[in-house]
Amino acid sequence: TEFKNAPVLDTLALVHFLRGDVDKAIELQEQAVVLADSKYVDELKQRLDQFRAAKKPPQADHRGERQKQ
């Protein structure tokens, strides 16, 4: 993307995430973190962590079966 504005990238990343395109959301949110003012970096990193957590496959339970999310 040509965007160089962290808040715009953050919003766009959230839209992609809500539409199910987690990979694109992560890509855009990573760019937002790089471009953000220092006072917003923690908030943007927190959302990035949420996006990454949503991408992880379900964990196996103690019986080796996958848990439903």
Side-chain angles (χ1 to χ4, degrees), residues 20-32:
D21 190 352
V22 178
D23 290 328
K24 187 66 174 179
I26 291 170
E27 175 189 331
L28 293 169
Q29 195 68 19
E30 287 172 341
Q31 291 176 33

Side-chain angles (χ1 to χ4, degrees), residues 36-62:
D37 291 336
S38 59
K39 63 183 177 180
Y40 299 113
V41 169
D42 288 340
E43 179 182 340
L44 297 179
K45 283 183 178 179
Q46 188 174 29
R47 191 183 326 263
L48 179 58
D49 289 342
Q50 292 173 338
F51 294 167
R52 287 177 174 158
K55 185 177 167 106
K56 291 182 182 177
Q59 299 292 321
D61 67 13
H62 68 279

Side-chain angles (χ1 to χ4, degrees), residues 7-22 24-26 28-29 47 51:
V8 171
L9 287 166
D10 176 51
T11 301
L12 189 56
L14 182 58
V15 169
H16 279 278
F17 180 77
L18 294 174
R19 295 189 72 188
D21 190 352
V22 178
K24 187 66 174 179
I26 291 170
L28 293 169
Q29 195 68 19
R47 191 183 326 263
F51 294 167

